[in-house]
Structure formats: structure tokens, C-alpha cells
Amino acid sequence: MIFCFLCIMKKILVTGGSGYIGSHTIVDLVKNGFDVISVDNNSRSSPDVLKAVEQITGTRIKNYNVDLCIFDDTHAIFQENNDIEGIIHFAAYKAVGESVENPLLYFENNLTSLVNILKCVAEFKVPHFVFSSSCTVYGNPDKIPVTEHTPQKPAESPYGSTKQMGEDIVRQTMNSLKNQQSILLRYFNPVGAHPSGLIGEIPIGRPANLIPAITQTAIGKLPQMQVWGNDYDTRDGSCVRDYIHVSDIAHAHTLALNFLLEEKNESNCDVFNLGSGNGFTVLEVINTFEKVSGQKLNYAIGPRRAGDVIAIYANNDKAVKLLNWKLEFGLEDMMRTAWEWEKKLKNI
């Protein structure tokens, strides 16, 4: 944990504050001395999440139930809070499969909300802006591990396209502003849950991501899970991904804000990969889950899934060096906290 005297009483707006990464980031911000407000219309989250955040931190978080695609309502938040020092923008739809089925929904929601927020950043001269981006901006890279300079390929989904476009929108907006800076954080695969067991991921519908699929199968919500392909050129034939505990991802946002507050940023828009520097295969993740949970997972090997990248993981040297980011949680921690959270969800 860090504590920066510069951040004392600095007001930070977190959009999507009731979401998975947003809620964990609010916990980390509060514990490091920031004054946090949230905006989340709870269209894909629960207001109870911020009650759990209050249990963890002892601090009540004010939330604005506002649709950021409505500019006047968004603008009113800034009129009421003209002392916002920084924004972390998480609010976006994020289901890859849904984005393929309904791309216009994703373009409208993810980009309109971002544009509205940036209009307010410009008008109210908010000095610091952190954008929630994704490794999907790299598409299917030619070489791994990917660095911040890895050439971007076409996105594999409309969701990925909104992150590529979103980065361009932030970068070009910041180029037009004075004394305002931004950081783009490209995360790989956030997983796990807060060690308290009070907050975690709540997938909508059948989970598309690996870890919720594992835990929901283990607890009986799903009868069986599929491993999509075991004939890839990897250690065991299954795809390789870079998994990061959500609390490590959350802490990186606090570090990014401090980096901006301490005026260490040499450009008005910088970018950092948030990954472990290593990849795990799907079968390695399953084996680790079985080890820490004591559960035998019912899974089957299926055919390759269209659009799946064979392997992708990050070079995180830049974040480690410049943000002083250190990972506190390993794969066993990720699986253990995810399983404890799933067992809690069963009783809610």
C-alpha cells in the first residue's frame, strides 16, 4: 500500500463505480487518502456493491445514478462538484460476445459516454484523466509478450474497437488541451475477488470469461464447461492468457493517479500495460483451481472457438519501473478468492 500526501482530500470521480474493477479501485483509492465519488446508473451492476465498499473501507461513497450518455445529466455532476481533481473512467459495456451480436449498442454506449465525460473534462479543466482500456487493442499480435509499442492489429470484436477508438479519442482530446494529462491503462485479464469476500465479479448471463465459467461449473450453476481447443501450439495445447488479480489492477489506478499528481508524466497522454509478464494456459488455470478448491471440475475439450487469440500476455516493465507497480497476488490467490466469492454468491 502507498500513501501520498498529495492525494489527501483530492476528489476523484470514478465512473462505473459499482462495477467489478471500479468497486475494487474505489476501495484502494479510499485506503490511500482520496475523496471518492461515483457515477453508476446500475444498468449492469448493483447498488449493494457500494454498501459492501463501505463495509470494507468504513467510508460511505456518494453515487450519482446517471446515464453518462445523457450529456445534461453528466454535466450536472461537474456543476455540483467543481473541485474534481481526477477521473477514472470505467463505465462501459464489456461483453465481447454481446458486442458482436449488437455492435451499435457498444459503439453508442461506450463512445458517447466517453465523449460526454471528456467534454466536461475540457470545460471544467479537470487536470487528470485515467482511461480503462484493454489488451483487446492489440488484436492478434505477431509477437509476445506485447509491449506498449506493439503494433495494433484490427480488433477481434466491436468491444475491442471501442477501446481502440476510445484511446484515440482520449489522446487527441488531450493534445488539444493545456495543463491536462491522461493515462491509458491496458489491462489483460482481471480475475479474483477482494480478500474480504465482500465484493467480486457478478457476470450477467452465461459467463464468457474463464474464471467465472470455472467457479459456476464447480458450484453447480453450469453443468459443464468447455475448453475451446487443445491443439494450439502452446505448452499443453490450450490458449494462453495473462491473468491479474483485480486488487492488483485496482492498485495500479491509484499509482497512475499519483504519477499524474506528482507531475512525473512527460507527455499529456501515456499508456501502460497491466499484466503479469507471464501467461497461463486454460488447463493450467483449471488445475490450479482444482488444487486450491479441492473441487474436481467437470469440463470437456471442445473445438477451437472463432476469434480466440492463441496466446497473449504482457510485458509490464514500464508499469513496474515508472508506476512502481508490484503484484501482490499469484494465480492460487486469484483462484482462491474467486471461489470464496462464488460460494458467497450462492447464498445471496
Side-chain angles (χ1 to χ4, degrees):
M1 178 175 290
I2 60 170
F3 193 88
C4 171
F5 289 106
L6 289 172
C7 68
I8 296 175
M9 302 307 294
K10 297 287 187 182
K11 182 178 285 187
I12 305 301
L13 172 65
V14 175
T15 74
S18 295
Y20 177 42
I21 307 176
S23 59
H24 285 79
T25 299
I26 288 177
V27 169
D28 200 82
L29 290 169
V30 170
K31 288 191 173 182
N32 283 284
F34 286 98
D35 176 19
V36 182
I37 58 173
S38 166
V39 54
D40 197 316
N41 67 351
N42 298 127
S43 63
R44 300 202 169 185
S45 61
S46 168
D48 290 338
V49 172
L50 290 183
K51 295 178 183 178
V53 168
E54 182 177 355
Q55 283 185 262
I56 296 169
T57 63
T59 301
R60 182 178 179 275
I61 304 300
K62 182 173 184 178
N63 181 66
Y64 291 86
N65 192 324
V66 164
D67 182 349
L68 295 175
C69 290
I70 302 173
F71 177 74
D72 287 346
D73 292 347
T74 304
H75 189 263
I77 297 172
F78 289 83
Q79 288 180 312
E80 187 175 323
N81 300 273
N82 59 10
D83 56 345
I84 293 173
E85 291 283 340
I87 298 170
I88 302 178
H89 183 58
F90 293 107
Y93 293 160
K94 63 175 185 176
V96 170
E98 182 187 48
S99 78
V100 174
E101 295 170 1
N102 197 346
L104 291 178
L105 174 68
Y106 273 66
F107 293 133
E108 180 178 35
N109 180 79
N110 293 5
L111 299 179
T112 302
S113 59
L114 174 61
V115 168
N116 285 344
I117 282 286
L118 288 174
K119 285 180 180 178
C120 294
V121 167
E123 178 181 345
F124 292 89
K125 296 181 172 55
V126 179
H128 308 117
F129 185 83
V130 177
F131 179 62
S132 168
S133 191
S134 164
C135 66
T136 57
V137 301
Y138 294 112
N140 201 340
D142 291 329
K143 296 180 180 180
I144 51 176
V146 296
T147 74
E148 289 81 1
H149 299 293
T150 294
Q152 293 184 13
K153 296 292 192 68
E156 296 290 319
S157 68
Y159 165 75
S161 293
T162 67
K163 291 302 182 183
Q164 289 180 336
M165 295 178 197
E167 286 195 4
D168 286 340
I169 290 168
V170 173
R171 187 178 292 109
Q172 294 180 44
T173 299
M174 288 298 164
N175 284 341
S176 72
L177 302 176
K178 295 181 179 179
N179 301 316
Q180 289 165 271
Q181 293 184 316
S182 65
I183 284 179
L184 314 174
L185 295 179
R186 295 172 179 164
Y187 353 116
F188 282 64
N189 294 278
V191 299
H194 193 268
S196 68
L198 292 172
I199 55 175
E201 185 173 13
I202 307 176
I204 297 173
R206 189 181 182 94
N209 296 330
L210 177 61
I211 310 307
I214 288 174
T215 59
Q216 288 192 15
T217 301
I219 210 159
K221 290 181 181 177
L222 300 176
Q224 186 182 65
M225 68 163 285
Q226 293 283 316
V227 175
W228 302 106
N230 67 343
D231 58 350
Y232 290 102
D233 184 19
T234 62
R235 291 184 292 275
D236 56 27
S238 60
C239 289
V240 174
R241 296 292 182 270
D242 193 344
Y243 298 96
I244 306 293
H245 194 280
V246 64
S247 292
D248 282 329
I249 290 282
H251 189 54
H253 292 77
T254 302
L255 294 170
L257 277 175
N258 279 327
F259 188 72
L260 293 174
L261 285 165
E262 293 168 6
E263 300 180 351
K264 292 181 178 179
N265 207 23
E266 295 181 357
S267 71
N268 59 5
C269 185
D270 210 343
V271 58
F272 293 88
N273 281 338
L274 298 183
S276 69
N278 297 292
F280 299 100
T281 70
V282 172
L283 293 176
E284 286 169 346
V285 173
I286 289 174
N287 291 337
T288 302
F289 173 79
E290 290 181 335
K291 175 184 174 182
V292 302
S293 69
Q295 304 291 312
K296 186 66 177 175
L297 196 67
N298 182 20
Y299 68 92
I301 305 296
R304 293 188 182 192
R305 183 171 54 181
D308 271 347
V309 175
I310 298 170
I312 185 168
Y313 54 93
N315 177 312
N316 64 9
D317 290 350
K318 185 177 179 182
V320 170
K321 180 180 178 181
L322 296 183
L323 300 184
N324 197 30
W325 187 47
K326 298 176 183 178
L327 300 180
E328 294 187 7
F329 300 90
L331 184 60
E332 290 191 6
D333 301 311
M334 300 178 212
M335 296 301 99
R336 185 179 297 106
T337 56
W339 180 233
E340 291 303 316
W341 172 246
E342 185 66 63
K343 289 188 289 185
K344 178 181 178 181
L345 284 179
K346 184 180 180 180
N347 298 319
I348 293 179

